Amino acid sequence: MNHNKDLPHQNKLKLKPKPKAVIVGGSIAGVSCAHALILAGWDIVVIEKSRKPPKGSPAGAGLALDLLSQELIGAWTGRPELLHEITSPLTIDLNQAINDEKTRKTLAREENFNHRAAHWANLHDHLFSALPPEIFLWGHLFLSFSVSNDKQSVKIKAQVLDTKETAEIEGDLLVAADGCASPIRNHYFPDVKLRYSGYCAWRGVFDFSGIEDSKTIKNVREAHPELGKCLYFDLAPGHHNILFEIPNKRLNWIWFLNQPEPRLKGNSVTMKVSDGMIQKMYQDAEKIWHPTLIQVMRETKEPFVNAIYDCDPLEQIVWDNVVLVGDAAHPTTPHCARSTNMSILDAAVLGRCLEKWGSENLIAALKEYQSIRLPVASKQVLHARQVGRIKQGLTLPDCRPFNPNTANWEECEMLQLRSVPFFGHNPLLG
């Protein structure tokens, strides 16, 4: 007997099962999508190869959240005041030239920057902690996926790392948040490769908790009097570095230097460094940077090298019921503070499109997502590539290599983050 046939129409609608999305990747792009899709009325499963959440991990580095990302995260978690507590203000974007005498001059300065600084692990924990823990499948390594013949469902296979068994998860939508080396993107674009930028970055996070009154910190604050609210860029011919403060008494620093592409293992874009490599880094840095930055570098535990890649803009980022988000959709160089912000905005736009069209119009929803995000992200990726080449003094078409010590005002204008396409007015819906 069909006990539902006499129910009112409204109650019948309530019995309709929620659509289900499987998100591959539990980094910031993945957890952001989980928030956005739950708000859009979807059930969520997140597959992540890490065996546990990175809570309390020193992994990752500093990042800058723009105003829209701050608003979106606050709406997702319902705790905007907590986001404020785990971030610190970045109200100034400052580019400076440093010469052989280690003196600086201002190239470009923006005082209404409206970003906030965060540590990757803190931001991830903030987003993750506001989600139902049961939606995560930790220790699941993505293997493959298949779309049903009628394009109505997708099946994901993953290896359970603890048991080596193969798990199968089915859903109505596959969200690929599986990073810049995305196997899912590679399925559709096997010939698309990551593009080496021509330079790598030494980077680290210096924890000065408990030594706030040390000579190192006094010197660095004297040399950088606006730390705590300023994103500092120092530029020397063929080099640039970044320095800014993040919460819990930490300084985030990055030094970009031109070099041949390193040999990397697997899909990682970071490389292990030896004590000898670190000592040589200190010696080379002393020839270029201010002594206060050298001291911060020397006192940073476990600095590492990050090879810098991006990818030429893709022709599409949706296929049937499969969608790319975050670095899977648009690997980018880090010069315009866009990678995390683009991932958060991808999630927000995807969620709003799914809510607008409903699960019965999934193809239309994904088509609109692509129409909104693809042109914006493509322009931002290419802009970040150009800015990186400018700051590193690399060649550009119809343009002499940039020299920060002789650059004119027009050349320096490109250095500002507000020169990024769509800065401050990213569309959420068409």
Side-chain angles (χ1 to χ4, degrees):
M1 179 181 294
N2 184 356
H3 294 286
N4 295 333
K5 66 178 182 179
D6 297 323
L7 288 174
H9 177 67
Q10 186 176 5
N11 288 340
K12 286 183 180 180
L13 291 178
K14 289 182 180 179
L15 294 175
K16 182 181 178 182
K18 284 185 177 182
K20 178 181 175 182
V22 182
I23 300 171
V24 176
S27 192
I28 287 177
V31 294
S32 296
C33 283
H35 276 286
L37 270 61
I38 287 172
L39 284 177
W42 284 62
D43 279 336
I44 302 298
V45 175
V46 181
I47 297 173
E48 169 54 44
K49 65 182 178 181
S50 301
R51 285 183 163 84
K52 61 181 181 178
K55 183 178 178 64
S57 168
L63 53 91
L65 291 174
D66 64 24
L67 194 57
L68 180 54
S69 290
Q70 298 167 42
E71 293 171 353
L72 290 168
I73 292 169
W76 290 338
T77 65
R79 298 290 303 277
E81 76 287 351
L82 185 54
L83 179 64
H84 201 269
E85 290 175 10
I86 67 164
T87 59
S88 55
L90 285 177
T91 58
I92 301 169
D93 172 22
L94 178 60
N95 286 267
Q96 305 175 115
I98 185 167
N99 60 23
D100 292 340
E101 287 73 42
K102 309 297 190 292
T103 59
R104 300 184 180 93
K105 72 171 182 179
T106 297
L107 299 175
R109 180 183 175 95
E110 167 61 43
E111 297 196 0
N112 297 298
F113 191 46
N114 292 328
H115 283 52
R116 293 191 70 84
H119 189 265
W120 183 92
N122 289 7
L123 179 61
H124 185 277
D125 182 59
H126 177 65
L127 287 163
F128 166 73
S129 298
L131 288 167
E134 63 270 15
I135 70 173
F136 288 86
L137 296 179
W138 299 103
H140 281 60
L141 176 65
F142 170 82
L143 297 175
S144 64
F145 74 97
S146 58
V147 177
S148 62
N149 291 334
D150 62 3
K151 314 298 184 186
Q152 297 299 304
S153 65
V154 61
K155 180 183 293 184
I156 293 85
K157 290 185 178 181
Q159 183 185 63
V160 183
L161 295 180
D162 285 342
T163 65
K164 305 303 180 185
E165 296 175 344
T166 298
E168 292 188 352
I169 305 98
E170 290 193 45
D172 304 291
L173 170 65
L174 170 58
V175 180
D178 51 343
C180 63
S182 167
I184 298 172
R185 183 186 68 232
N186 188 60
H187 172 86
Y188 291 104
F189 289 119
D191 296 328
V192 170
K193 306 299 180 186
L194 292 177
R195 185 201 68 96
Y196 179 59
S197 64
Y199 48 92
C200 290
W202 276 97
R203 60 193 309 170
V205 175
F206 174 44
D207 184 345
F208 61 92
S209 57
I211 56 167
E212 297 92 331
D213 296 326
S214 68
K215 186 177 180 180
T216 297
I217 294 304
K218 288 180 178 178
N219 288 344
V220 79
R221 291 204 182 281
E222 183 178 345
H224 302 84
E226 294 174 301
L227 269 178
K229 62 178 180 179
C230 183
L231 184 60
Y232 281 96
F233 293 90
D234 278 0
L235 290 87
H239 302 265
H240 76 286
N241 74 53
I242 304 172
L243 180 69
F244 61 97
E245 188 170 351
I246 56 179
N248 299 324
K249 297 178 172 41
R250 290 171 291 181
L251 296 178
N252 184 80
W253 60 267
I254 310 172
W255 170 25
F256 298 94
L257 62 165
N258 301 332
Q259 67 177 68
E261 183 175 4
R263 291 184 178 181
L264 301 171
K265 292 183 179 180
N267 291 328
S268 176
V269 294
T270 62
M271 54 188 287
K272 284 191 173 184
V273 294
S274 64
D275 289 342
M277 292 171 65
I278 294 173
Q279 292 303 318
K280 185 177 186 306
M281 181 267 287
Y282 297 151
Q283 295 167 9
D284 292 343
E286 286 173 351
K287 302 171 187 175
I288 304 165
W289 304 122
H290 194 278
T292 57
L293 179 62
I294 308 302
Q295 196 59 35
V296 168
M297 291 176 171
R298 285 187 175 276
E299 295 186 29
T300 298
K301 295 180 180 179
E302 299 181 357
F304 62 96
V305 174
N306 196 170
I308 307 301
Y309 290 86
D310 67 6
C311 182
D312 290 334
L314 303 177
E315 298 173 0
Q316 64 185 103
I317 51 176
V318 303
W319 298 263
D320 301 318
N321 51 354
V322 179
V323 57
L324 304 182
V325 298
D327 288 343
H330 37 67
T332 185
T333 55
H335 310 292
C336 297
R338 292 315 307 156
S339 179
T340 299
N341 289 300
M342 283 197 288
S343 296
I344 292 167
L345 192 53
D346 286 348
V349 173
L350 179 60
R352 294 190 183 199
C353 288
L354 293 173
E355 184 175 19
K356 171 184 173 181
W357 288 94
S359 58
E360 65 276 13
N361 295 305
L362 179 59
I363 301 303
L366 296 185
K367 183 178 179 181
E368 182 169 24
Y369 164 79
Q370 177 173 269
S371 72
I372 295 169
R373 291 302 296 144
L374 190 57
V376 173
S378 297
K379 288 182 179 180
Q380 292 182 341
V381 167
L382 294 176
H383 181 86
R385 178 185 297 182
Q386 184 180 17
V387 170
R389 295 191 69 82
I390 289 172
K391 290 188 172 185
Q392 287 301 108
L394 297 170
T395 56
L396 284 166
D398 305 319
C399 183
R400 64 180 183 179
F402 179 79
N403 184 331
N405 293 316
T406 60
N408 58 38
W409 178 85
E410 187 177 6
E411 290 176 298
C412 294
E413 199 174 24
M414 188 70 172
L415 304 177
Q416 292 186 300
L417 290 176
R418 68 167 44 258
S419 68
V420 176
F422 299 97
F423 183 90
H425 58 278
N426 280 283
L428 279 168
L429 278 178

